[in-house]
Amino acid sequence: MARARKRRGAGTHQPSHERWLITYADMITLLMVLFIVLFAISQVDQKRFDELKQGLAAGFGHDPSPLDGARAVMDNGATTPLESLTPVVQGVQPAKPAKPVAPAKTQSERQHRADQARRADLAAARREVARLTALERRIHRALAAQGLADDVRTRIERGGLRISMVSRHIVFAANLASLTPRGRRVLDVLSPVLRELHNQINVDGHTNQVKVKPKYYPTDWELSAARAVTVLRYLHEHGGVPSRHLSAVAFGHERPLVDPALPKARVLNKRVDILVVSKASEDARKLFGQVLKQQGVHARLIETTSAR
């Protein structure tokens, strides 16, 4: 009995624990084949690729592939162009095309713009010089009508129109800042013209270059300032020129009108200037000299702070 049981047990099949090797070997074989195919197609021969594509198409009945063709077969036999699909991702906006970067300006373009700006400034300078010239003529006509034409000198400079009270009949007495009767007459003629303007009007006081301490003032600065304020007050209080347009500046003996070594320089340099400040731009005012030269006007341009 025991012998028969042992004989039956000897014929029982034992399970194998190495079957995984078969699966592993199959996977390795497939990976090898995959890498061989990848290596083979990494260097594509376009001619052979086309032959392969045609052979595959012939083998599958010449059905056009929707991947490389332009048309797809529909259920009813009709064909329609295959439209390309644009993937849409929710919450993500399609990227906007970058704005084209403007090319850098060339030297010729910069020069062209500079020439245009200069022509515009030159045109503005011509208009302003014409306006100041007309104002200058109007002042001279008004003074000539009263017999006072020789008591004032005018010139167009970079700052605007300068009106200098230089006659020996209207200059201030030595050491004094009081207007003479003739000086008041000159201001009475100038006031109606000046009060119609909307320009800034600077009243500049000057003394001559005699190196003598003023009798009633500490220095030439105080004396020239007093003379400028005297003229400013007369223009406003008697001539009706708006005070918002007026300002007074003292220069002492620092800005002579003529060379102090010349005859009568003491009389001419002891004066008050009325400057009608130009409203033109700084670039246009720089071209006043060129415009005046083109017009044959030989005026001495003085660098002034016209925005004073």
Side-chain angles (χ1 to χ4, degrees):
M1 186 76 169
R3 190 178 300 153
R5 190 180 300 117
K6 182 177 180 181
R7 195 179 299 115
R8 287 195 300 269
T12 304
H13 177 73
Q14 297 295 328
S16 176
H17 296 287
E18 297 181 354
R19 291 183 60 85
W20 62 272
L21 290 174
I22 300 174
T23 304
Y24 177 74
D26 292 340
M27 182 183 69
I28 292 299
T29 303
L30 292 174
L31 286 175
M32 181 184 67
V33 172
L34 173 63
F35 286 125
I36 292 174
V37 172
L38 290 176
F39 175 76
I41 66 174
S42 64
Q43 299 178 351
V44 179
D45 187 334
Q46 187 63 37
K47 182 178 179 181
R48 292 184 178 180
F49 180 78
D50 292 339
E51 293 176 354
L52 174 62
K53 182 175 67 173
Q54 293 174 2
L56 291 175
F60 286 98
H62 298 278
D63 290 333
S65 173
L67 296 178
D68 62 356
R71 309 177 73 83
V73 180
M74 302 180 65
D75 294 338
N76 57 2
T79 59
T80 181
L82 183 65
E83 297 180 358
S84 61
L85 300 178
T86 302
V88 178
V89 181
Q90 291 185 351
V92 179
Q93 297 294 333
K96 296 182 179 180
K99 295 182 178 180
V101 179
K105 293 185 176 67
T106 62
Q107 181 65 28
S108 60
E109 290 175 341
R110 290 193 293 268
Q111 184 62 39
H112 178 67
R113 291 180 180 273
D115 293 341
Q116 284 184 324
R118 180 173 177 82
R119 285 194 293 269
D121 291 334
L122 185 59
R126 290 194 179 106
R127 291 192 298 269
E128 184 66 5
V129 168
R131 191 183 69 82
L132 295 176
T133 301
L135 177 62
E136 183 182 34
R137 291 172 180 170
R138 181 182 175 188
I139 289 173
H140 279 291
R141 285 196 299 267
L143 291 170
Q146 299 297 324
L148 303 171
D150 295 333
D151 294 333
V152 169
R153 286 188 181 183
T154 61
R155 70 172 178 271
I156 298 173
E157 59 185 40
R158 182 170 173 174
L161 175 62
R162 183 172 295 275
I163 307 166
S164 300
M165 301 170 62
V166 295
S167 171
R168 62 184 177 85
H169 301 292
I170 64 172
V171 294
F172 302 90
N175 299 306
L176 298 179
S178 302
L179 279 168
T180 64
R182 188 161 181 138
R184 289 193 290 270
R185 287 182 59 198
V186 171
L187 292 179
D188 288 337
V189 174
L190 295 177
S191 295
V193 180
L194 297 178
R195 67 169 171 251
E196 295 178 3
L197 302 177
H198 298 283
N199 300 65
Q200 176 69 24
I201 298 173
N202 295 339
V203 182
D204 301 340
H206 302 268
T207 62
N208 58 31
Q209 284 66 49
V210 178
K211 297 182 180 180
V212 177
K213 181 180 178 298
K215 185 176 181 180
Y216 304 108
Y217 297 91
T219 65
D220 288 345
W221 296 104
E222 285 83 1
L223 178 56
S224 62
R227 289 172 174 172
V229 172
T230 297
V231 173
L232 181 148
R233 288 187 58 188
Y234 194 93
L235 289 173
H236 174 59
E237 296 173 2
H238 299 275
V241 180
S243 59
R244 65 181 181 276
H245 294 163
L246 294 169
S247 63
V249 183
F251 288 101
H253 59 274
E254 297 297 329
R255 293 194 179 184
L257 182 64
V258 298
D259 187 350
L262 296 176
K264 299 182 180 181
R266 294 182 180 181
V267 176
L268 295 177
N269 290 335
K270 181 178 60 175
R271 71 195 190 278
V272 169
D273 289 346
I274 300 173
L275 176 64
V276 179
V277 179
S278 171
K279 288 186 175 183
S281 66
E282 180 65 23
D283 291 334
R285 291 199 299 270
K286 291 178 182 178
L287 300 174
F288 280 4
Q290 178 180 339
V291 174
L292 292 171
K293 185 177 180 180
Q294 292 174 351
Q295 296 178 354
V297 179
H298 300 284
R300 180 169 64 93
L301 295 180
I302 300 178
E303 298 295 329
T304 60
T305 54
S306 59
R308 203 172 45 231

